[in-house]
Amino acid sequence: MASLPVSAKTYFNDFAFDLVNYDIVRNSSIIATLQGLANKDEGGKHIAFLLPCDIQIGDVLMHENLRLLVKNIEVDTFDGKPELLKAYY
């Protein structure tokens, strides 16, 4: 868990042109479609999503022909409150 220098909403607004819609697939069914931002850090490549969202390890993130298996999840905070979920693939 890391502390964000700005709110997650500000981060998403600043990079709105990079937002991508991802279908969240669990047990072969789409459970949601959410906007996310691709990024990488010391933990590896991930897609960041605003909280609250329901993404679990083992889910598949789909965008067009891209299919990413969620292998790990971390939550980042702003002002001590959880705001951003990072789904590592």
Side-chain angles (χ1 to χ4, degrees):
M1 180 164 35
S3 181
L4 299 168
V6 298
S7 74
K9 287 182 183 177
T10 298
Y11 170 60
F12 267 55
N13 286 337
D14 288 349
F15 293 95
F17 52 88
D18 286 329
L19 286 171
V20 172
N21 287 330
Y22 290 92
D23 290 331
I24 314 304
V25 179
R26 184 177 302 148
N27 299 323
S28 301
S29 296
I30 296 173
I31 62 163
T33 300
L34 302 171
Q35 289 190 316
L37 286 171
N39 206 344
K40 63 181 176 179
D41 58 19
E42 62 280 348
K45 294 180 180 180
H46 64 271
I47 309 299
F49 297 94
L50 291 175
L51 287 172
C53 63
D54 180 20
I55 298 174
Q56 301 175 6
I57 293 172
D59 288 350
V60 175
L61 309 177
M62 291 183 16
H63 171 71
E64 296 176 354
N65 293 329
L66 185 65
R67 299 172 72 92
L68 306 170
L69 176 64
V70 177
K71 295 181 179 180
N72 191 25
I73 290 175
E74 289 186 12
V75 173
D76 286 353
T77 63
F78 178 71
D79 278 346
K81 297 176 186 170
E83 287 203 1
L84 188 76
L85 181 139
K86 296 189 292 189
Y88 290 89
Y89 56 92

